[in-house]
Amino acid sequence: MELQAVVDEIVHEVQPMLGEGAVASYIPSLGQVPAGNFGMCVAMSDGPVCGAGQWQDPFSIQSISKVFSLALVMSYDYDSIWKRVFREPSGTPFNSMLQLEADNGIPRNPFINAGALVVTDRLLTLTGDAAGSVRGLLRKESGNPAIDFDDEVAASEAQHGHRNYAMAHLLASYGNLENPVELVLENYFKQCSLRMSCEDLAAASRFLARHGVSAGGTPFLSPNQSKRINAVMLTCGTYDAAGEFAYRVGLPGKSGVGGGIVAIVPGRCAVTVWGPALGPNGNSVAGIAALDAFTTRTGWSIF
Ligand code: GLU
């Protein structure tokens, strides 16, 4: 199988789909990204990389950053975060607050916003600079020191982030934040605003395909921790469409409202796609179609 040819074909095939769905506009700066962009990259765990389309153009990674903040917290703290966050699919939208009160301030999982705020809060306690730590990890694992925050996107989200403010205050009211609400949100908005290409993101995610081994060849996470993060990605990584994603793609994955998705084939590779137009559950329409085609064609699924 010629992997480059497979990726080229898939990127060609999804072109007619690029108009489907809508670019996220609840963060006004994100709404300006053209819906017709599309890129895809495969980074093999042993080094080779191939990509097609706009795979080297940076985009806002948004919720994909939640995978890296969780990985960092687990690397410092092993599993104590699970006292403050569950690991069950929520079946509700990523920014829903419905369950948070019923569950006494314990978010359903680390990939919905409430859970990610708790993880960022913990990372802030552990490092003093949660967003900076996530950026540092991404720079190191991708080998690209130019990866940075998009201040305009972060400010745009802060201005319109009423639900996230409400959620953070609700968490604080249950004693599930260790740091001031403002500081947690500032770090959360910054980590979500990080701009990366499919190429950088695939390289930076490779440790999850290498059982926790970092780009430098040393263990960043234990194989067990890497397995657990992949498991939570599979069950909770694509909002309230995680069942549909598992059915169609058959891999652990994490999406973001910037239109990116990272998927992991444990032991083999990390695959990233980017198409800004989102379906009703907030996942890239063309991105899911491309990942579906990828696992169907290569047979590289966990099932
Ligand atoms: N920063 C976004 C928010 O909190 C992230 C959402 C996402 O990508 O799912 O609304």
Side-chain angles (χ1 to χ4, degrees), residues 75-154:
S75 77
Y76 290 118
D77 236 5
Y78 200 65
D79 56 0
S80 62
I81 192 69
W82 303 118
K83 295 189 191 105
R84 297 174 56 192
V85 184
F86 296 127
R87 39 181 190 257
E88 290 298 337
S90 71
T92 56
F94 67 97
N95 57 3
S96 171
M97 281 190 290
L98 270 181
Q99 294 162 336
L100 194 55
E101 186 165 22
D103 291 344
N104 296 314
I106 307 290
R108 281 289 166 102
N109 68 67
F111 295 150
I112 53 172
N113 286 12
L117 288 167
V118 171
V119 173
T120 297
D121 174 59
R122 185 66 195 144
L123 191 55
L124 198 47
T125 303
L126 290 164
T127 66
D129 179 4
S133 313
V134 175
R135 180 180 61 183
L137 174 67
L138 292 169
R139 285 180 174 176
K140 190 162 142 260
E141 291 302 312
S142 67
N144 180 0
I147 290 170
D148 221 336
F149 309 118
D150 183 329
D151 295 335
E152 193 191 318
V153 169

Side-chain angles (χ1 to χ4, degrees), residues 26-27 62-63 66 94 113 157 164 188 192 239 255-258:
Y26 76 99
I27 302 173
Q62 292 297 317
S63 272
K66 296 170 183 174
F94 67 97
N113 286 12
E157 182 163 12
N164 284 324
Y188 172 76
C192 287
Y239 313 117
S255 54
V257 294

